[in-house]
Amino acid sequence: MAGILVWFWNERFWLPHNVTWADLKNTDESTFPQAEDLYLACPLAFCMFMIRLVFERFIARPCALGLKIQANGPQKAQHNAILEKVFTAITKHPDEKRLEGLSKQLDWDVRTIQRWFRQRRNQEKPSTLARFCESMWRFTFYLYIFTYGVRFLKKTPWLWNTRECWYNYPYQPLTVDLHYYYILELSFYLSLLFSQFTDIRRKDFLLMFLHHVATISLITFSYVNNMARVGTLVMCLHDAADVLLEAAKMANYSKCQRLCNVLFIMFALVFISSRLGVYPVWILNTTVFESWEIVGPYPSWWVFNMLLVLLQALHTFWSYLIVRTAYRAISRGKVSKDDRSDIESSSDEDEVLPPSQKHHTNGTNGAHGTNGYLFPSPCPDEH
């Protein structure tokens, strides 16, 4: 075990040339980031999860009820032992051949059986009330942490000149405000990572799992090798769009359609401009080019930048989905459902029918799914 730790914490990987861990030990004059500081994030993540449960129960739920949001879930499918056995033991998405076989066995038409499976799948999804409470919790946290980040960064020199992120690197002292910012963000994303397994199940579960792992890795990497200055820029930039997204989702659940549309448009503009414009021009420019010029590359530098590029790839994918969803909503002027929505609209029941049996209908049910959208006009359900 000792040998593995020595290998993992190899100075030649984590630190620039001629810098050792001993150089970054805390002294009476200066405090530097220490890897063991991050252990605090684990119990804090659990505390944050418990705070969330209390918040949703005693704050978000009364707000939702005050907005006349119903706790009722989707319509339940009528009981049928044969279909239930197929659903639980074989498949939740029967293909055309199985549908035709069930149709003959039950003497039901294919469309009725398909509708039963759609309703049965939706039956396992949480109510609009539960989704509103989850969004309100995330909105509250993002609003707080974004406000804190802006207030903190406007007093720092590296907000105005990103080259300050690398001057005197890695001998940049750790301040109390910076340490608090990092630990709180890391704790939140750890709680999101764990709660993914208990929260509303999304179709892009693996994609969001990858996102959370990449985010946690970036926060950890940048803290351990004291790239915390540029790390604060990355965190604050990402929190900006998340505030608007959760607000738009709450408006959608509350059936405040005009407000939802406005918030979605604001979210789309902020998301695309910040993550396809500001992020590569401002963040990637300083982490790749300015840091290369001032500090020079070393092994963990390459890993850190690879993670940032991975994040940029996710930004590009999500921006494409946002633009596609907005285009569909504008062009149709009707309900538009993203492919990843979890609550299925009535048009989904036609997906496996042969062309001769298909006819298109427009769904009216709500939808949810991290990074999924459903709007009677351009308004999201989930990011």
Side-chain angles (χ1 to χ4, degrees), residues 183-360:
I183 294 298
L184 200 61
E185 285 273 17
L186 180 58
S187 300
F188 179 71
Y189 280 102
L190 281 172
S191 71
L192 287 185
L193 183 69
F194 299 141
S195 65
Q196 247 196 307
F197 298 93
T198 59
D199 274 351
I200 301 163
R201 183 76 175 190
R202 270 81 175 190
K203 287 188 177 182
D204 61 347
F205 175 89
L206 291 178
L207 183 64
M208 286 309 300
F209 185 84
L210 175 64
H211 173 271
H212 294 333
V213 170
T215 302
I216 291 167
S217 300
L218 278 168
I219 293 174
T220 302
F221 253 80
S222 59
Y223 188 87
V224 168
N225 62 6
N226 205 11
M227 289 185 178
R229 290 186 175 184
V230 73
T232 58
L233 300 179
V234 175
M235 292 189 297
C236 191
L237 182 67
H238 282 72
D239 291 335
D242 292 332
V243 174
L244 294 169
L245 172 64
E246 300 301 334
K249 285 155 57 178
M250 289 192 296
N252 189 35
Y253 299 143
S254 306
K255 297 187 177 2
C256 300
Q257 197 57 55
R258 290 186 179 179
L259 177 60
C260 177
N261 295 344
V262 171
L263 289 170
F264 172 69
I265 292 171
M266 292 173 61
F267 158 72
L269 291 174
V270 171
F271 186 97
I272 294 172
S273 62
S274 63
R275 304 196 188 190
L276 296 188
V278 178
Y279 181 83
V281 172
W282 193 41
I283 301 296
L284 292 182
N285 176 66
T286 192
T287 60
V288 176
F289 300 109
E290 293 180 349
S291 66
W292 183 295
E293 176 187 344
I294 298 172
V295 179
Y298 51 98
S300 69
W301 179 94
W302 289 102
V303 175
F304 182 66
N305 278 289
M306 285 175 59
L307 289 170
L308 290 175
V309 171
L310 171 62
L311 206 55
Q312 180 60 45
L314 293 174
H315 294 164
T316 304
F317 175 69
W318 284 323
S319 296
Y320 158 73
L321 292 176
I322 292 169
V323 171
R324 185 184 68 173
T325 303
Y327 173 77
R328 286 180 176 179
I330 293 170
S331 61
R332 295 180 184 181
K334 298 179 180 180
V335 171
S336 174
K337 182 178 74 63
D338 184 78
D339 295 336
R340 294 154 305 146
S341 295
D342 290 336
I343 300 297
E344 302 168 49
S345 64
S346 58
S347 60
D348 291 338
E349 64 194 53
D350 298 325
E351 288 176 355
V352 298
L353 292 177
S356 61
Q357 292 179 266
K358 284 189 179 182
H359 73 273
H360 294 286

Side-chain angles (χ1 to χ4, degrees), residues 9 20 34 45 60 69 78 91 127 140 161-162 165 189-190 198 205 209 220 237 250 333 359:
W9 293 112
T20 68
Q34 306 295 315
I69 296 176
Q78 70 180 83
T91 178
S127 65
T140 303
N161 179 12
T162 53
C165 293
Y189 280 102
L190 281 172
T198 59
F205 175 89
F209 185 84
T220 302
L237 182 67
M250 289 192 296
H359 73 273

